[in-house]
Amino acid sequence: MLRISALNDSSCSEDDSQKIELTKTKEAKEAEAFAAYNKALSHQHKGSTLHAEKLLRNLFDHPFLKEASNLVGGDDYQPQTLNHPGLHLLYSIHKNLASILLQRGQLQEAIAAYIEAVKVDSSEVTVWFKMGQVAKELHNYPLAKICFQQALQCNPNHWPSLDNAITVTFALGDYLTCLENISTALEKDCTYPKGLAFRKQILSEQPSLESLTKELFIYCDPKIHMLAVDAEETKEYINEALKFRATRRQMILEHQEKEHQPLTFRKPLTPFTWKNVGEQLIDLYDFAVNSNPPK
């Protein structure tokens, strides 16, 4: 029995040693990753953005960050409940990459970096707001709407997001959401001119919405029904939103034209015989199907 006991004690000691060794290895990897991140930040602050970007991107292949990345994206993923220090670092890397790309004017790439950041943690209002601003600059107004609305989910009192959400939802023709945002704004400030101007414009275009959305404004100061906004100021607000709407429509038309180029016969339709028409149709079909990508 004494021998068995001694063997058990030895076994426990080996297990403990392995656990200690694993902990040390994990701590070493963590320290290494944070050191590389801090080095990247130092280069970024000095203006060496290319070097900083390279260091940040290299970190995605680091075992410590890979371990954290594998936690993201699951159905039950909740960053606030996971005690993994790599998640915060992963989030910070994506945010700083977005900042570098924005500085260079690489807006699409910056949006992609912001999207990766909010996959890790979607609770920061300023990130959603910045995403919305970039999306608006890219004329991606549906994405801008999502970003500003998400920012308001994080912080209902974030006025810049509320102000932008009103313009974007009006431009997209989402009048109900626009009125919901306006009611929130007018509860905070009953003299808010953009809210008053858009509310008046929406109700003039769709009078039925006045009765349907009456309850949205019950907590607003009754003065909102009597206050007037300067005509020039109103025109400026409405024209900005209409410009967004026109830009979006033009982009949709251009996309449709590009995606649906009409097919034309590749050879002259002569002689005008049914046989030639049939041969031309077969030739056109083969061309459309075998082209890359298929037309």
Side-chain angles (χ1 to χ4, degrees):
M1 290 296 294
L2 289 173
R3 187 177 180 185
I4 293 172
S5 177
L7 284 171
N8 286 340
D9 289 342
S10 174
S11 176
C12 288
S13 177
E14 288 176 8
D15 288 344
D16 289 342
S17 297
Q18 287 177 352
K19 287 178 182 177
I20 292 169
E21 196 62 36
L22 284 171
T23 301
K24 286 182 177 178
T25 303
K26 188 174 181 180
E27 288 175 350
K29 287 179 180 178
E30 182 179 340
E32 185 181 62
F34 274 97
Y37 173 71
N38 289 327
K39 188 175 180 181
L41 285 188
S42 176
H43 283 290
Q44 186 178 352
H45 292 153
K46 291 175 183 176
S48 181
T49 56
L50 286 173
H51 199 171
E53 181 185 359
K54 184 178 179 180
L55 288 171
L56 290 173
R57 291 194 184 280
N58 286 343
L59 273 169
F60 292 134
D61 294 322
H62 193 282
F64 180 66
L65 272 301
K66 279 188 173 182
E67 186 180 296
S69 184
N70 288 335
L71 297 172
V72 180
D75 293 337
D76 300 324
Y77 172 69
Q78 294 292 335
Q80 61 271 23
T81 63
L82 289 173
N83 190 24
H84 194 294
L87 289 172
H88 179 70
L89 181 58
L90 186 64
Y91 175 73
S92 299
I93 291 169
H94 287 302
K95 267 181 58 177
N96 280 283
L97 271 177
S99 177
I100 289 171
L101 294 164
L102 270 181
Q103 190 178 341
R104 289 206 212 113
Q106 295 175 250
L107 303 187
Q108 291 283 10
E109 292 84 353
I111 280 282
Y114 276 133
I115 289 172
E116 291 303 316
V118 297
K119 284 181 184 177
V120 181
D121 184 355
S122 60
S123 63
E124 190 174 345
V125 62
T126 54
V127 169
W128 284 111
F129 176 70
K130 286 177 181 177
M131 279 179 68
Q133 290 288 79
V134 178
K136 196 170 72 168
E137 199 169 339
L138 289 168
H139 309 300
N140 189 341
Y141 302 114
L143 178 58
K145 171 191 166 183
I146 291 170
C147 293
F148 294 133
Q149 294 295 149
Q150 276 299 131
L152 293 172
Q153 289 292 317
C154 298
N155 181 0
N157 296 315
H158 193 253
W159 193 266
S161 293
L162 187 57
D163 183 81
N164 277 277
I166 289 169
T167 303
V168 169
T169 49
F170 181 89
L172 291 170
D174 186 357
Y175 286 173
L176 184 57
T177 303
C178 188
L179 287 169
E180 288 174 352
N181 289 326
I182 290 169
S183 69
T184 301
L186 292 177
E187 282 181 35
K188 301 176 189 297
D189 179 5
C190 67
T191 65
Y192 174 52
K194 181 183 281 189
L196 294 170
F198 276 119
R199 180 174 183 268
K200 182 179 179 181
Q201 181 66 26
I202 289 171
L203 298 182
S204 69
E205 291 182 23
Q206 297 188 20
S208 62
L209 285 176
E210 185 165 11
S211 59
L212 289 172
T213 61
K214 188 176 181 180
E215 290 189 1
L216 288 175
F217 298 91
I218 59 175
Y219 298 110
C220 298
D221 192 309
K223 287 193 295 187
I224 66 168
H225 303 291
M226 297 170 281
L227 290 171
V229 182
D230 178 74
E232 282 301 313
E233 195 172 359
T234 297
K235 186 178 178 181
E236 183 179 338
Y237 295 137
I238 303 300
N239 283 348
E240 180 188 21
L242 292 178
K243 184 179 178 182
F244 292 167
R245 187 180 293 179
T247 301
R248 173 165 165 74
R249 283 177 177 169
Q250 184 60 35
M251 290 176 71
I252 290 171
L253 286 172
E254 289 174 359
H255 177 74
Q256 289 174 341
E257 289 175 3
K258 185 178 179 181
E259 292 295 311
H260 303 287
Q261 289 285 350
L263 290 172
T264 57
F265 290 112
R266 300 198 300 155
K267 299 175 183 177
L269 256 181
T270 52
F272 297 114
T273 63
W274 285 115
K275 180 185 176 186
N276 186 47
V277 170
E279 289 173 349
Q280 291 281 17
L281 286 172
I282 292 170
D283 176 71
L284 189 60
Y285 174 81
D286 290 339
F287 169 72
V289 170
N290 296 320
S291 61
N292 188 20
K295 297 179 181 296

